[in-house]
Amino acid sequence: HKLNAAAGVSNGNDSKKFKGDIRGPSVPSRVIHIRKLPSDITEAEVISLGVPFGDVTNLLMLKAKNQAFLEMNSEEAAQNLVGYYSTMVPIIRHHPVYVQFSNHKELKTDNSPNQERAQAALRALSSSHVDTAAVAPSTVLRVVVENLIYPVTLDALCQIFSKFGTVLRIIIFTKNNQFQALLQYPDGASAQAAKLSLDGQNIYNGCCTLRISFSKLTSLNVKYNNEKSRDFTRPDLPTGDGQPTMEHTAMAAFTPGIISAAPYAGATHAFPPAFTLQPAGLAVPALPGALASLSLPGATRLGFHPIPAGHSVLLVSNLNPEVSDCLPTGVYGDVMRVKILFNKKENALVQMSDSTQAQLAMSHLNGQRLHGKPLRITLSKHMSVQLPREGHEDQGLTKDYSNSPLHRFKKPGSKNYSNIFPPSATLHLSNIPPSVVEDDLKMLFASSGAVVKAFKFFQKDHKMALIQVGSVEEAIESLIEFHNHDLGENHHLRVSFSKSSI
């Protein structure tokens, strides 16, 4: 009997059934049933729920029902997965999703296009994991960070490496003028997977490159839990002399930062996030051994430069003075105020609505070219941008946007959070009225001097389209120029960077 989307899941798709017994079948099976998935979920995101626990051998997506079935290589792997997620509900794009054993003992799949996509995603993800059963030389990794332009913290490393297994212990130090870390996993397979996926990756754009090797040590001995060393299995350890005492040792030791840009409702955190990762990907609230969030394939950016809580003002320099208040920072957050500096018109202070948004804007836009010059973005020492005092004219250099209708992130959990991508030459257009056709949009973008290379309406929904221009710089300028452009019929164009290309 083939289990496929048409057959549905005789015992699983009736949501009423689940209200009585949320745990669902308790008999272990290699097949995991996952419910309440966001509707735009990708195969890779579902597979990444299983990868830390073992090989994923099959996948069936029921997108219309917001469900999926994941088959693991062994019952033991499936039990570890269900056990882990029963204490730590996985969050994907700000949605809690629910994981339980399926009544099916294996998945039989057919050759439908959906299935082919699932199989392709499985091949792509499993080939990068080589055979993790091959015995790793050690459970301890030695990590060297080269080209250290931004500081890298112990928390940032925990966040990145937790994707591949529980990080038991970590020590950071400087040796031969190089920033290094030793990091211990409970098993060699996790160490192997982390080394394969992370060696050579950049933590921040274009810098802080990870070089990873197996350590000769077989175990780490950690005496103190502080900013230089941590033993996650021993929250009772002292912080050591001269270290700021950690009042919430357990919290501080176990919370490398809340991962999503807008934690789902109900997440209560006693202190602001230490740093944030791109909200794409799988976000799991970080607790001991969290499988933290990274959409690794192709990610050049694994984490962001940690920003002190509350710092939401950026200093943007190297601007073209004629157009200095037109900045692309609004893609990454809500811009509250912009002040062009009176004596240096190529510099501006930009106040975002919170420090997470300031981080996103800084990490994505620093170094990107705008009007022929690379943008330089750093954190300002100012805590806010002051408006000119009554009666003091500042020649319109300070603009207040706090009540702007254009803010993209006002609503908590806005779907714009899941559409934050690095600048790219392909732009996503939405809110297109029915009367506007392909040529209208191509001419609009060409009118500002951009070279339009490709254009495609979304099949299902002609309100949305992708347009590809000649370069990332042209895309940034087009976004500034045409976001909120009036297309008539009370439709204002929405423009953002796309993760796909045409």
Side-chain angles (χ1 to χ4, degrees):
H1 167 68
K2 285 196 173 173
L3 163 61
N4 57 27
V9 182
S10 49
N11 55 6
N13 53 32
D14 179 4
S15 59
K16 289 193 186 65
K17 170 177 187 306
F18 288 116
K19 291 203 172 69
D21 182 12
I22 271 302
R23 286 164 313 145
S26 52
V27 182
S29 156
R30 287 194 303 138
V31 181
I32 308 290
H33 182 199
I34 304 165
R35 298 178 293 118
K36 297 272 175 75
L37 289 164
S39 47
D40 49 356
I41 187 82
T42 63
E43 282 81 2
E45 283 170 291
V46 175
I47 294 167
S48 70
L49 284 172
V51 162
F53 301 92
D55 288 338
V56 177
T57 47
N58 212 340
L59 168 68
L60 174 68
M61 302 284 282
L62 304 182
K63 280 196 179 167
K65 296 199 168 75
N66 300 87
Q67 300 184 12
F69 288 83
L70 198 63
E71 184 188 276
M72 302 300 291
N73 60 337
S74 71
E75 215 164 86
E76 186 189 9
Q79 275 178 304
N80 289 345
L81 181 155
V82 172
Y84 181 86
Y85 290 131
S86 66
T87 57
M88 186 103 61
V89 177
I91 306 296
I92 300 185
R93 308 195 197 184
H94 323 311
H95 292 277
V97 301
Y98 297 94
V99 173
Q100 62 188 48
F101 292 116
S102 162
N103 288 339
H104 298 279
K105 288 296 175 202
E106 61 176 334
L107 288 181
K108 295 192 175 60
T109 45
D110 54 20
N111 301 326
S112 66
N114 283 347
Q115 227 8 82
E116 283 172 15
R117 265 219 318 280
Q119 295 304 324
L122 277 169
R123 280 195 298 277
L125 282 170
S126 56
S127 60
S128 67
H129 275 82
V130 189
D131 180 12
T132 47
V135 181
S138 166
T139 58
V140 179
L141 294 177
R142 177 165 162 266
V143 181
V144 176
V145 183
E146 293 175 353
N147 192 10
L148 189 78
I149 290 176
Y150 298 122
V152 171
T153 62
L154 180 143
D155 283 335
L157 289 173
C158 284
Q159 182 110 20
I160 291 162
F161 281 85
S162 294
K163 170 76 177 174
F164 301 94
T166 307
V167 175
L168 299 180
R169 300 174 188 88
I170 182 168
I171 300 171
I172 61 174
F173 54 96
T174 304
K175 184 176 172 186
N176 311 335
N177 285 337
Q178 275 186 318
F179 177 93
Q180 302 196 19
L182 290 166
L183 188 133
Q184 184 181 351
Y185 283 112
D187 58 287
S190 302
Q192 189 95 306
K195 180 177 184 296
L196 282 167
S197 294
L198 295 174
D199 191 22
Q201 292 269 9
N202 295 337
I203 301 180
Y204 304 114
N205 252 2
C207 67
C208 300
T209 310
L210 293 167
R211 297 279 173 236
I212 302 172
S213 54
F214 288 106
S215 167
K216 293 190 177 63
L217 297 169
T218 51
S219 182
L220 297 180
N221 180 14
V222 172
K223 296 190 179 71
Y224 304 112
N225 280 337
N226 56 37
E227 294 316 300
K228 299 276 180 223
S229 63
R230 203 96 30 103
D231 184 337
F232 290 104
T233 64
R234 302 262 326 266
D236 53 314
L237 287 177
T239 57
D241 293 329
Q243 286 291 340
T245 53
M246 289 188 174
E247 282 172 14
H248 319 279
T249 307
M251 280 300 276
F254 290 151
T255 310
I258 306 318
I259 295 153
S260 58
Y264 66 106
T268 50
H269 300 296
F271 51 95
F275 70 117
T276 322
L277 285 176
Q278 252 177 296
L282 156 70
V284 179
L287 279 164
L291 307 161
S293 149
L294 293 177
S295 2
L296 269 179
T300 49
R301 181 183 297 95
L302 300 184
F304 296 141
H305 190 31
I307 286 189
H311 277 265
S312 58
V313 180
L314 299 170
L315 172 62
V316 183
S317 50
N318 208 21
L319 289 164
N320 191 323
E322 287 83 83
V323 285
S324 47
D325 66 336
C326 303
L327 289 164
T329 43
V331 181
Y332 298 112
D334 296 336
V335 175
M336 294 292 132
R337 292 178 182 163
V338 175
K339 184 186 192 81
I340 308 297
L341 302 192
F342 177 73
N343 47 0
K344 285 196 81 178
K345 301 264 195 304
E346 63 280 4
N347 289 3
L349 291 174
V350 177
Q351 183 177 342
M352 307 297 285
S353 78
D354 64 38
S355 59
T356 300
Q357 296 180 357
Q359 254 164 345
L360 283 166
M362 180 164 83
S363 75
H364 282 302
L365 294 170
N366 185 35
Q368 295 285 358
R369 297 180 76 80
L370 179 62
H371 304 295
K373 297 168 135 192
L375 285 175
R376 291 280 162 260
I377 304 184
T378 54
L379 205 55
S380 166
K381 57 182 185 296
H382 297 285
M383 294 307 277
S384 67
V385 170
Q386 299 300 317
L387 291 175
R389 289 198 299 282
E390 207 56 53
H392 286 69
E393 185 46 63
D394 80 340
Q395 303 168 332
L397 293 175
T398 306
K399 294 199 168 72
D400 184 19
Y401 296 108
S402 47
N403 296 319
S404 160
L406 296 185
H407 289 165
R408 301 177 187 223
F409 302 98
K410 249 211 197 91
K411 292 196 201 80
S414 154
K415 65 173 188 297
N416 289 329
Y417 277 110
S418 52
N419 293 325
I420 293 178
F421 301 111
S424 63
T426 306
L427 294 167
H428 179 280
L429 312 180
S430 60
N431 206 23
I432 302 166
S435 60
V436 169
V437 296
E438 178 171 335
D439 282 355
D440 299 333
L441 289 161
K442 284 180 166 168
M443 280 166 67
L444 176 68
F445 278 74
S447 70
S448 70
V451 178
V452 177
K453 293 196 150 174
F455 181 92
K456 182 171 106 192
F457 272 115
F458 277 60
Q459 250 174 335
K460 290 196 202 99
D461 187 355
H462 267 227
K463 295 194 201 82
M464 297 199 284
L466 295 178
I467 188 164
Q468 187 186 342
V469 293
S471 65
V472 174
E473 185 175 359
E474 280 184 14
I476 295 176
E477 289 168 14
S478 303
L479 181 140
I480 294 168
E481 177 104 8
F482 298 122
H483 181 61
N484 206 43
H485 182 83
D486 189 348
L487 292 172
E489 299 175 47
N490 210 0
H491 282 64
H492 286 78
L493 185 63
R494 297 275 171 261
V495 186
S496 54
F497 297 116
S498 170
K499 67 169 188 287
S500 6
S501 46
I502 304 178

